[in-house]
Amino acid sequence: MEGKSFRLADEGRYIQRRAGDYDSRIVATGQLILFSTKTGDAWLLDPADQLAARLAREGESEPIHIEETDATFAIGWKGHYRIEGPAFAYSDEDTGRVTIILGYPTGELTQAV
């Protein structure tokens, strides 16, 4: 990202608000993708390593750990994801549970990578 005006935590809160309004948005920041859905879900993705953290579920914000300085950031990733056609698959690191979600903008997410 160019300039110091970009703050990952601010973008995360923006996407959480969009999810709270059940508004579908995709924000590509270069190496990360944030998106919200019409179902009120929101996610932060790292396509290079297929890491994922849920930011909102059914319109309600979920906690996420983000540390950032002007030069770096660290994210408390909670699992991994993959996109297979119309399916968004999420594997939770803590529980090992795999969730398959249909209805996400998987085509647009794939293009954003």
Side-chain angles (χ1 to χ4, degrees):
M1 297 267 54
E2 291 184 31
K4 294 183 180 180
S5 63
F6 174 79
R7 290 279 184 229
L8 181 57
D10 292 341
E11 293 298 322
R13 285 188 291 274
Y14 168 77
I15 285 295
Q16 286 174 321
R17 285 192 306 273
R18 299 288 40 91
D21 290 339
Y22 297 88
D23 184 23
S24 181
R25 297 288 169 101
I26 297 175
V27 176
T29 65
Q31 65 193 59
L32 300 174
I33 296 174
L34 299 96
F35 76 97
S36 61
T37 69
K38 291 181 179 182
T39 60
D41 295 346
W43 293 85
L44 172 60
L45 308 176
D46 177 349
D49 295 320
Q50 292 190 300
L51 296 169
R54 187 188 295 261
L55 301 177
R57 181 188 318 232
E58 297 178 357
E60 297 295 321
S61 293
E62 300 248 333
I64 175 124
H65 181 78
I66 298 174
E67 291 181 25
E68 61 186 317
T69 67
D70 286 341
T72 64
F73 56 84
I75 300 165
W77 297 107
K78 298 182 180 185
H80 290 84
Y81 82 97
R82 69 182 183 280
I83 294 173
E84 295 180 6
F88 179 90
Y90 173 69
S91 174
D92 187 281
E93 245 178 54
D94 292 336
T95 65
R97 182 181 191 184
V98 175
T99 304
I100 306 295
I101 304 167
L102 299 174
Y104 281 3
T106 55
E108 292 91 339
L109 291 171
T110 302
Q111 288 178 353
V113 174

